[in-house]
Amino acid sequence: MMLQTFSPDPISIVTPWFPQTQITEKGDFSVKVWDAITGSSLYSFPHKHVVKTLDWSHDSKRLATGGHEGILRVYDVSKPKETPLEFVQSTSKTISIPKCNWLDNRTVLAAGSDGTIRFWNVDEPDPSRQLTRTLRVGDGVRDMELLALSSDPTRTILTVAAGDRVTFFDMTTGEEMRSYKMPIHFREEGGASLHPSGKKFIAGGSDLWVRVFDFETGEELECHKGHHGPVRCLRYHPDGKSYATGSEDGTIRLWKTDP
């Protein structure tokens, strides 16, 4: 069941946040940090190409960014004028970063257009030891989500949307748990999100539909129409009672998890 529809300003915006602060990315190749109460701009971090992803560290002290440059950057927001830490995905070619997520306060996952997810220890001074681990999926990654299960907060699941598959990894062991072929593809847009219970997930991408799947079997449980353009992004609310989807049609829609 669809709850509500919003038509936001068409400006490109990405909004991971911590209390009273918001960050955005615009077409001028910059990342801006704003005071969410007053609306005033606090800092601006210039880049040399389009920024596709942003994420706050768990302690809200650092900001990670990635995009078409193929460089993961980490900013200390308490020292906004300092040069950020930089982690190049490849020295032989440019590998863009469509998504980055903090695993903990020192480890950032950078999803690559080459289908590799790289784990970077951003506190390690030795460049030869900064890349600690990699995971591979078959195609370039479009979306990635880290979720601690509500039933077991010590267990974190990585959800990856790439090509025409959604794949799940157990972050404790690094092992692939499930991988399902979808009736859509994620080559240009879309993503997937795991329910906090770990029992089902949602996916949307190349068509107009929002689908719900069973985690254990991959069976399609629900299929919802409401958008008039491909689905760009989607996420469950932390309490699992609803989820949000954003589309190329310029709307954000809210849905009940259990109609």
Side-chain angles (χ1 to χ4, degrees):
M1 178 187 295
M2 186 161 56
L3 295 173
Q4 186 59 275
T5 302
F6 300 95
S7 296
D9 188 288
I11 193 170
S12 174
I13 181 169
V14 187
T15 58
W17 63 284
F18 64 87
Q20 299 186 1
T21 309
Q22 184 177 49
I23 50 178
T24 63
E25 177 278 321
K26 296 178 66 178
D28 61 359
F29 301 165
S30 70
V31 170
K32 297 185 185 298
V33 181
W34 306 82
D35 185 312
I37 304 301
T38 66
S40 61
S41 177
L42 301 177
Y43 322 118
S44 181
F45 301 126
H47 291 66
K48 296 178 181 179
H49 211 312
V50 174
V51 179
K52 298 295 291 183
T53 180
L54 313 159
D55 196 30
W56 287 111
S57 60
H58 295 185
D59 60 10
S60 299
K61 294 180 179 179
R62 294 192 285 185
L63 173 66
T65 70
H68 287 343
E69 286 181 85
I71 300 173
L72 176 70
R73 289 185 173 89
V74 176
Y75 296 86
D76 184 337
V77 292
S78 69
K79 304 172 183 177
K81 294 184 179 181
E82 285 195 357
T83 301
L85 301 173
E86 294 188 349
F87 305 87
V88 179
Q89 304 308 289
S90 173
T91 57
S92 60
K93 60 180 179 178
T94 300
I95 299 172
S96 65
I97 304 171
K99 199 74 179 179
C100 67
N101 291 121
W102 290 84
L103 179 61
D104 51 47
N105 283 320
R106 68 178 180 181
T107 308
V108 181
L109 277 62
S113 56
D114 63 344
T116 300
I117 300 164
R118 295 169 174 84
F119 291 62
W120 296 96
N121 181 344
V122 299
D123 290 336
E124 173 56 59
D126 183 352
S128 67
R129 301 175 61 184
Q130 290 171 345
L131 182 62
T132 62
R133 186 167 146 195
T134 60
L135 296 174
R136 283 282 303 167
V137 291
D139 295 275
V141 178
R142 175 55 54 185
D143 189 26
M144 180 173 70
E145 175 193 60
L146 282 167
L147 176 74
L149 297 180
S150 58
S151 58
D152 182 3
T154 65
R155 189 180 184 191
T156 300
I157 307 299
L158 176 67
T159 303
V160 182
D164 59 0
R165 305 189 72 86
V166 174
T167 303
F168 302 92
F169 295 92
D170 187 325
M171 287 292 93
T172 302
T173 63
E175 295 181 356
E176 180 181 307
M177 303 172 63
R178 303 281 191 280
S179 186
Y180 298 116
K181 181 176 172 54
M182 297 283 101
I184 53 175
H185 66 75
F186 307 105
R187 287 187 286 274
E188 297 177 0
E189 60 270 307
S193 182
L194 182 64
H195 188 272
S197 68
K199 295 181 179 180
K200 54 189 173 183
F201 65 96
I202 51 176
S206 55
D207 63 11
L208 313 181
W209 302 86
V210 178
R211 294 176 171 87
V212 184
F213 298 89
D214 183 273
F215 175 79
E216 294 295 337
T217 66
E219 176 188 359
E220 184 177 310
L221 303 176
E222 303 169 28
C223 185
H224 302 293
K225 182 174 175 59
H227 285 299
H228 301 285
V231 178
R232 289 282 188 177
C233 55
L234 64 174
R235 283 293 184 269
Y236 274 107
H237 188 281
D239 67 11
K241 296 179 181 180
S242 62
Y243 56 92
T245 61
S247 168
E248 198 172 300
D249 64 13
T251 66
I252 298 170
R253 297 177 186 265
L254 301 181
W255 311 79
K256 280 187 176 179
T257 296
D258 297 309

